[in-house]
Amino acid sequence: MRILHTADWHLGRIFHQVHMTEDQAAVLDQFIDLIKDRRPHAVIVAGDIYDRSVPPVDAVRLLDEVITRILLDHRTAVIMVAGNHDSADRLGFGNRLFAGRGFHLFGRLDRDMAPIPVEDETGPVWFCPIPYAEPALVRETFGSSPEAVRGHNEALRVLADHMSARTPAGARRIAVAHAFVTGGEQSESESFLTVGGAGTVDGSIFEGFHYTALGHLHRPQHCGHDRIRYSGSLLKYSFSEADHQKGITFVELDGAGQITACESIALTPRRDVRRLEGYLNDILKGAAPGENRQDYVMVTLLDEGAILDPIGKIRQVYPNVLHIQRTFLERGSGAVRSVGDHRRLDDLDLFASFMEQVTGSPLDEEGRQVAADVIDDVLGRCREVAP
Amino acid sequence: MRILHTADWHLGRIFHQVHMTEDQAAVLDQFIDLIKDRRPHAVIVAGDIYDRSVPPVDAVRLLDEVITRILLDHRTAVIMVAGNHDSADRLGFGNRLFAGRGFHLFGRLDRDMAPIPVEDETGPVWFCPIPYAEPALVRETFGSSPEAVRGHNEALRVLADHMSARTPAGARRIAVAHAFVTGGEQSESESFLTVGGAGTVDGSIFEGFHYTALGHLHRPQHCGHDRIRYSGSLLKYSFSEADHQKGITFVELDGAGQITACESIALTPRRDVRRLEGYLNDILKGAAPGENRQDYVMVTLLDEGAILDPIGKIRQVYPNVLHIQRTFLERGSGAVRSVGDHRRLDDLDLFASFMEQVTGSPLDEEGRQVAADVIDDVLGRCREVAP
């Protein structure tokens, strides 16, 4: 059984004001080529299909196009579950009709949800969909007691057990879930499932499955065990993911359910997401040979002091620079000194204390004199205008 | 060929702050019973499926339920086109996959759009879908010149001709469109297609079709010709529709395409939409025997003068009273007299002029004296508080 496992497409994502739909379309084209090459028996998309519950129209159109091509041109079964970013009801529209076309879509939780058998030469593999759901909804849907299902861990166990119980004994089983399994590594672009960490679930829930295809965490990674895996997101969706190697996971199971291959196949984004660090003059010397100037970059400038329009200057070299960080401005932020009640400081002392926080060293006598002159001048003019 | 023709469901409609989804679900249940009884070869839904481009989740769930039951439980083909209230892209998601299940959904305009053949004992009838589209989009999609497609009339002709050309000569043809055909009668709840009336189209466009199933106007009606018909909306969606008899149109064509039956079958809403007129005391005497107190009512009160909390009082008899009109308050509005520059009137004259406008007769001497006393009293107290 050959499977392509992907997740966290976040279609319609806006990254520092850039609509990423074209970038997403470009890698999804490669994904479809991969389906053509590898001829998987099934494709898994493990949640966060869209970036938000009401995605932009372009994102809806892109998903329509991709799913239609996979199903009609390549006749490959798709198992897709909703993630915490998706609206389960909106995403799940028409799912009972789609099922007859091989598109197995799981949005809103439903007591009648059942595993999907997909056949290979040796028999069926049972795909057990576990769409993202709040614990309260799991209680309501499955009539569990509030004590039994307090958090995501218990909720996911109820769902996993519900699915397992609906597969034949000894069958090959694959879980498809959107969850934060304990020990996984987070990035900045995943929203918390639950404030305070109660959203994590225990990997042991998936012990009865031959493979668990996860979504939620954006870095491709195993989770404690080889058979429990995050494919990672389609693209880098935050600068904290700049060092990730994104891709699609290709998994192969033999007739006994043993994993015989597991590989992350890289996709080539139209524009990479990168972090640069240096002095402005060095950055402005231009991109290195072979470097894609069109990449989405964040620049950390080491220069101190005022710079006029740094992003405008850097844009000449990197047209898609999205964010600039000034180390010297942030230096003080780790240890903000108390200056007492700032409301009791006069204008000059207030400014001096601000400068000290920002630069890390006290304003010298010359600086104080310049500031005092400016303050006098400004206040004098104010008095002229409004006597 | 037996057809059930309906339109303008406006799922998710909010009517005077009441969410109508439960009312809609109740009549759609009856609609499904009708499908069971009449066993049509096809069901037509001619646009404005939803009330707005991003419908509430309840409405999405209701449409999913209804369509799934029609297709899976009753195996009846559905031909559905987008109306001007729908988002063509959002509504149309997955339509190429749905088509294989007998759900023929037409959202965004597409050059490859083709008629859908549905078979009866004598052969195929070709359903020609014409989803609502702005003339500019028709030009863009079909490469027509701006001169040839200036308004909705020309745009609809391009689409109707495109469809006709894709049916065999002599075939039975049914057009399914969402448009404002000249001569039709409007209600208050249809949004204008185009300001100024350029949105109307000529019924002659549909001459080549054996039946034209229209949506947009909310009153069931023929349009110039027996073969061109609005089914009307699912429910009454404004008080201006209080006298409409809503229903589903049942149409039968013989093997030659002649209409052998055409009937509007009434559905029974959970709550009717009605207008009442009278004096408050008469209204408060209670509902007549057999009258549904739960109906959505608008009350026109004939009383003059101030009434404390009239809607609260009427709600004791009609819990779902949604709107109250006071005839005496509106009497003056047709002929608001100029009182000169009201900024130059003193408080008493300003009040007297207001009363005259509202009641239609000048404030008498006693009234002036009462008003003067109140004004003096109020101003006196104001001076005490803020000297």
Side-chain angles (χ1 to χ4, degrees), chain B residues 38-82:
Chain B
R38 300 280 178 134
R39 305 183 56 76
H41 296 84
V43 162
I44 292 173
V45 195
D48 285 0
I49 315 307
Y50 290 125
D51 194 53
R52 53 184 191 272
S53 60
V54 178
V57 160
D58 278 355
V60 173
R61 211 184 278 181
L62 176 57
L63 183 63
D64 178 51
E65 194 58 34
V66 168
I67 291 297
T68 303
R69 286 171 65 190
I70 298 176
L71 269 299
L72 297 190
D73 298 349
H74 303 291
R75 312 228 162 247
T76 306
V78 174
I79 294 101
M80 179 182 280
V81 303

Side-chain angles (χ1 to χ4, degrees), chain A residues 60 94 115 151 167 193-194 212-213 234 275 282 294 334 347 357 367:
Chain A
V60 174
T167 57
L193 294 182
T194 305
T212 296
L234 193 63
R275 301 174 77 139
D282 294 329
Q294 302 295 329
D347 293 326
Q357 272 191 46

Side-chain angles (χ1 to χ4, degrees), chain A residues 55 64 89-90 94 97 101, chain B residues 55 61 64 89-90 94 97 101:
Chain A
D64 177 52
D89 279 288
R90 294 185 194 281
L97 296 173
R101 307 304 308 267
Chain B
R61 211 184 278 181
D64 178 51
D89 279 288
R90 294 186 194 279
L97 295 173
R101 307 303 310 265

Side-chain angles (χ1 to χ4, degrees), chain B residues 4-16:
Chain B
L4 285 176
H5 161 201
T6 172
D8 296 276
W9 288 4
H10 289 274
L11 302 184
R13 174 90 175 174
I14 298 169
F15 178 50
H16 290 267

